[in-house]
Amino acid sequence: MIVKEIMKTDLKTVLPSATIYDAVRIMKTHNLRHLPVVNESFHLLGIISDRDLRDEGVDVFQMEDNNELQNAVATVMSTNLITGTPLDFIEEAAALLYEFKIGCLPIVLNKKLVGIITGTDILNTFVQITGSHKPSSRIEIRIPNIPGILCPITYVFQRRRLNIISILLYPAEDEKHDRLVIRVQAMNTDAIVKELKEEGFDVIWPETL
Amino acid sequence: MLYQFGPGHPFNPIRTKMTVDLLQCMGSLDDSYILTPRFAREEEILLGHSKDYVDFVKSIDDAGTLDGHAIDEELLLNYGIGTEDTPIFKNMHRAGLMAAGGTLEAIDLVLQGKAKHALSLMGGLHHALSGKGSGFCIYNDIVIGIKHILKNYHKKVLYIDTDAHHGDGVQWAFYDEPGVCTLSLHETGKYLFPGTGAVHERGSGAGYAFTVNIPLEPFTEDDSFIESYRESFEKVAEYFKPDIIITQNGADAHYQDPLTHLMLTMKSYHFIPKLAHELAHKYCQGKWVALGGGGYNIFQVVPRAWALIWLEMIHYQGRLDTLPRTWIEKWQKYWDGPIPEKWSDPQHPYEAIPRKEEISYKNEMNLKNALYSISNELVHKLDQRF
Ligand SMILES: [Zn+2]
Ligand SMILES: [Zn+2]
């Protein structure tokens, strides 16, 4: 999956000449923690984040009689930005957010701001990937970490004409094994589990006492 | 007995026959209380399903097979029919009409004041979706029944689902409908079909906070289940103040059920209808429709669990100790395993669950989390709306 598929494109932005007061108001109204600063051609110049504002000592609760809020956003925005492109893989975007401990990644194409992606968007995608978006049952198998092992497993599913909804493969406790989580579009998994066991696979869910 | 997927399929209509027979053997079911269900009309089915889906099911109704039909695999899969769960069988459209007809009739009896309580064990097919069969269910009689109530009676419906599987079809049908509150207790979707039913699924739009989900950990036992059920049902009934209660009484959360990993005994199946009955009288002048649902240990579990619903409905006062000898002997012929002799299960029917404390604690936290939002949201919303 690439960034383009999940990035937010309905963007709120401000010009560098806007006041901090305006920026804070937009952020509060739309419940945003980051606000990109762009010029008239939508080139990305900087970002204002609620964290930056706090660091600057801007008290958003004392909005009224605070002269500092009349300063231009250009005076407080971060300009040393890490950006992504629409074609980045989501895992690359996630790695950037994680590595630089930032909350959002502006997505830029030909200098223009085209989207934004936040940690929440990525988390949401992860929930989608690992969860069940269609009625399905979970089967978990402990498999040896050897080439071609998925083939005999998926063959069992094909033989029973069972539709696989999602597959997740991650390392087991030891290096020689992996754990394979398959969500299958069926309520009754008795027959498939029995066949998998007969073929010698170590089915760890459904678990029996 | 039209709803028949064929030999070897866990969804077996003998369950209903055995239940009725058990009640008759003990002299607790007078013939005058048994009604032959009508077939639902097609326009009633369309309350809950898309036309193209119904037409598709109809098209394979007569043949009962795909022989001679030029139906491609993709179409079948798209409609969730002809799968391992929901295979094609003869009369499948008419079987669906009959299950829905039974539920509609039960609802009409209760809402027209002809009976306080009604039981339709062929109903309770909670997985079917608007345009798709799913999890042994072709037509969703519950969705059809509730839509029928909204359309013709304009009543507030509390739907409570104690099947071990999440009541997804019903939840999604009324996800943004504030006149219907759905409460489902089920083995967590992290482990069991259909995968949904997390605490955070709370409804949307005007229906926000009218969907309540209590996921339970695998290997949940009686005490933790009863506590979760009692607390959530009482609280939801108190805030929602329903006009009628519809219960889906799937009996597949029993420790002997082959498809799920919950560990209830008959103790829970005694309590489930008891509380529904009590709350129906407390909030709805008794208006209570109970439906069947899942339940795949058909000889040892389902007849006992379902008979208890009826016994509760007729305010049965007798002692429930041993099952009628005649009944046991009659049905023993059809099965080579042991048919239980008593209404209750043995004291320690299975080995102690090692993670018992963690399981109960996790359930308690889920319950708290699920009810937190309704206690705040429902009060506020109901004040505005009703
Ligand atoms: Zn079920
Ligand atoms: Zn009563």
Side-chain angles (χ1 to χ4, degrees):
Chain A
M1 206 182 287
I2 57 172
V3 162
K4 195 177 171 180
E5 295 169 67
I6 66 161
M7 69 185 187
K8 204 179 293 146
T9 51
D10 170 27
L11 301 173
K12 302 277 175 274
T13 57
V14 284
L15 291 168
S17 55
T19 62
I20 299 175
Y21 178 90
D22 290 334
V24 170
R25 218 189 41 210
I26 293 172
M27 287 167 80
K28 282 177 103 177
T29 318
H30 299 281
N31 200 11
L32 300 171
R33 301 177 62 181
H34 308 93
L35 193 62
V37 182
V38 295
N39 66 14
E40 278 87 355
S41 331
F42 233 69
H43 290 178
L44 182 67
L45 304 176
I47 275 227
I48 308 221
S49 73
D50 56 352
R51 202 166 64 180
D52 292 339
L53 291 174
R54 237 180 299 124
D55 292 349
E56 288 286 324
V58 175
D59 186 351
V60 291
F61 293 104
Q62 291 195 344
M63 293 279 283
E64 300 315 320
D65 41 38
N66 190 336
N67 285 333
E68 253 181 55
L69 291 179
Q70 295 309 320
N71 294 342
V73 288
T75 61
V76 291
M77 68 187 184
S78 316
T79 49
N80 184 19
L81 298 181
I82 297 149
T83 61
T85 79
L87 296 182
D88 290 345
F89 282 116
I90 286 170
E91 50 268 40
E92 291 178 292
L96 286 175
L97 293 180
Y98 181 75
E99 187 181 357
F100 297 104
K101 296 189 173 47
I102 48 178
C104 95
L105 192 66
I107 308 301
V108 176
L109 186 64
N110 302 330
K111 289 190 195 151
K112 275 189 183 164
L113 178 71
V114 291
I116 204 163
I117 199 167
T118 67
T120 315
D121 298 332
I122 290 183
L123 200 60
N124 189 30
T125 306
F126 177 76
V127 170
Q128 301 258 326
I129 290 172
T130 54
S132 62
H133 48 287
K134 277 187 183 153
S136 53
S137 297
R138 177 180 191 270
I139 295 172
E140 183 164 354
I141 312 167
R142 194 163 171 273
I143 56 172
N145 183 7
I146 53 169
I149 188 72
L150 285 183
C151 185
I153 293 175
T154 51
Y155 176 63
V156 179
F157 285 81
Q158 186 217 21
R159 207 165 51 200
R160 294 213 66 90
R161 297 182 55 242
L162 280 177
N163 197 21
I164 291 173
I165 299 293
S166 76
I167 291 188
L168 215 71
L169 181 80
Y170 58 96
E173 305 75 35
D174 63 298
E175 266 177 34
K176 292 204 167 86
H177 290 89
D178 286 319
R179 291 169 76 154
L180 177 68
V181 178
I182 296 181
R183 290 207 70 104
V184 59
Q185 195 176 342
M187 178 155 96
N188 184 6
T189 54
D190 277 5
I192 184 87
V193 167
K194 194 163 155 269
E195 280 189 32
L196 286 166
K197 283 180 176 166
E198 278 166 9
E199 304 267 330
F201 292 108
D202 182 9
V203 179
I204 49 182
W205 186 267
E207 182 185 2
T208 40
L209 278 182
Chain B
M1 292 298 160
L2 280 171
Y3 208 96
Q4 173 68 278
F5 285 116
H9 194 280
F11 196 99
N12 191 321
I14 282 188
R15 311 178 302 165
T16 350
K17 254 190 196 155
M18 285 183 75
T19 307
V20 169
D21 194 48
L22 172 56
L23 290 164
Q24 283 171 334
C25 280
M26 59 190 288
S28 296
L29 179 57
D30 197 281
D31 281 352
S32 65
Y33 286 126
I34 303 178
L35 301 174
T36 314
R38 66 178 175 89
F39 286 96
R41 292 188 301 273
E42 194 172 319
E43 70 258 31
E44 290 170 325
I45 298 294
L46 292 173
L47 288 172
H49 294 281
S50 64
K51 178 103 172 59
D52 63 315
Y53 172 60
V54 176
D55 285 344
F56 177 76
V57 178
K58 260 166 72 183
S59 76
I60 49 176
D61 182 64
D62 272 338
T65 78
L66 284 177
D67 298 343
H69 282 240
I71 298 169
D72 61 292
E73 289 267 315
E74 212 176 308
L75 195 62
L76 275 175
L77 203 62
N78 184 29
Y79 285 125
I81 298 283
T83 57
E84 178 142 325
D85 276 352
T86 317
I88 288 167
F89 62 94
K90 195 166 163 59
N91 293 329
M92 72 190 301
H93 172 65
R94 267 170 289 175
L97 292 187
M98 186 169 258
T103 299
L104 287 167
E105 192 147 315
I107 285 169
D108 285 337
L109 277 177
V110 168
L111 283 177
Q112 289 167 9
K114 293 178 187 152
K116 284 224 182 292
H117 321 310
L119 175 62
S120 177
L121 291 172
M122 283 192 315
L125 308 173
H126 61 170
H127 292 308
L129 304 166
S130 161
K132 205 179 180 104
S134 174
F136 311 164
C137 307
I138 303 161
Y139 297 139
N140 195 316
D141 61 291
I142 310 166
V143 171
I144 293 165
I146 296 176
K147 290 253 167 113
H148 171 72
I149 297 175
L150 294 180
K151 185 173 162 222
N152 299 308
Y153 297 97
H154 315 287
K155 299 284 187 200
K156 279 196 290 172
V157 184
L158 172 55
Y159 168 76
I160 164 146
D161 185 322
T162 45
D163 191 285
H165 300 93
H166 176 228
D168 56 341
V170 186
Q171 166 173 306
W172 300 129
F174 302 106
Y175 208 55
D176 49 13
E177 169 57 67
V180 179
C181 186
T182 64
L183 166 61
S184 179
L185 290 99
H186 45 264
E187 179 178 338
T188 163
K190 283 183 296 186
Y191 290 106
L192 193 68
F193 184 92
T196 44
V199 168
H200 64 76
E201 292 163 29
R202 301 183 198 266
S204 68
Y208 181 77
F210 293 99
T211 295
V212 181
N213 282 298
I214 318 279
L216 301 163
E217 288 295 292
F219 308 115
T220 291
E221 298 174 84
D222 284 327
D223 291 349
S224 180
F225 174 83
I226 288 174
E227 178 55 20
S228 305
Y229 172 68
R230 194 189 51 74
E231 174 105 10
S232 59
F233 198 175
E234 283 180 355
K235 286 254 163 75
V236 169
E238 184 187 342
Y239 292 126
F240 187 64
K241 301 203 169 50
D243 299 314
I244 178 171
I245 291 174
I246 297 186
T247 58
Q248 196 272 17
N249 289 78
D252 48 7
H254 191 271
Y255 73 93
Q256 286 173 310
D257 192 279
L259 256 57
T260 78
H261 322 96
L262 297 180
M263 303 300 278
L264 308 191
T265 73
M266 293 311 294
K267 189 179 167 190
S268 292
Y269 288 103
H270 226 108
F271 186 70
I272 288 170
K274 198 167 146 39
L275 183 66
H277 192 192
E278 184 190 317
L279 293 176
H281 277 288
K282 188 168 174 189
Y283 292 103
C284 322
Q285 296 97 44
K287 291 189 202 69
W288 171 30
V289 172
L291 306 170
Y296 309 102
N297 187 323
I298 54 179
F299 289 96
Q300 292 171 304
V301 179
V302 183
R304 288 188 296 164
W306 284 359
L308 284 170
I309 308 171
W310 178 256
L311 294 174
E312 181 59 42
M313 283 185 167
I314 61 167
H315 302 246
Y316 181 81
Q317 296 297 330
R319 249 174 68 82
L320 291 173
D321 185 27
T322 50
L323 293 160
R325 204 65 248 164
T326 43
W327 180 79
I328 297 172
E329 277 160 14
K330 176 170 173 186
W331 292 99
Q332 190 64 77
K333 280 178 270 172
Y334 297 90
W335 197 47
D336 44 14
I339 290 195
E341 313 225 320
K342 287 179 178 290
W343 281 96
S344 45
D345 290 313
Q347 271 289 319
H348 299 288
Y350 48 81
E351 268 180 54
I353 308 289
R355 302 187 300 273
K356 186 181 177 118
E357 225 171 290
E358 283 164 74
I359 291 168
S360 306
Y361 181 72
K362 174 89 177 138
N363 288 342
E364 221 176 289
M365 289 302 108
N366 274 341
L367 176 70
K368 226 169 138 184
N369 195 341
L371 295 183
Y372 179 78
S373 94
I374 68 152
S375 54
N376 290 316
E377 293 289 336
L378 270 182
V379 176
H380 175 63
K381 286 205 160 186
L382 290 172
D383 284 351
Q384 289 180 330
R385 200 162 279 275
F386 297 108

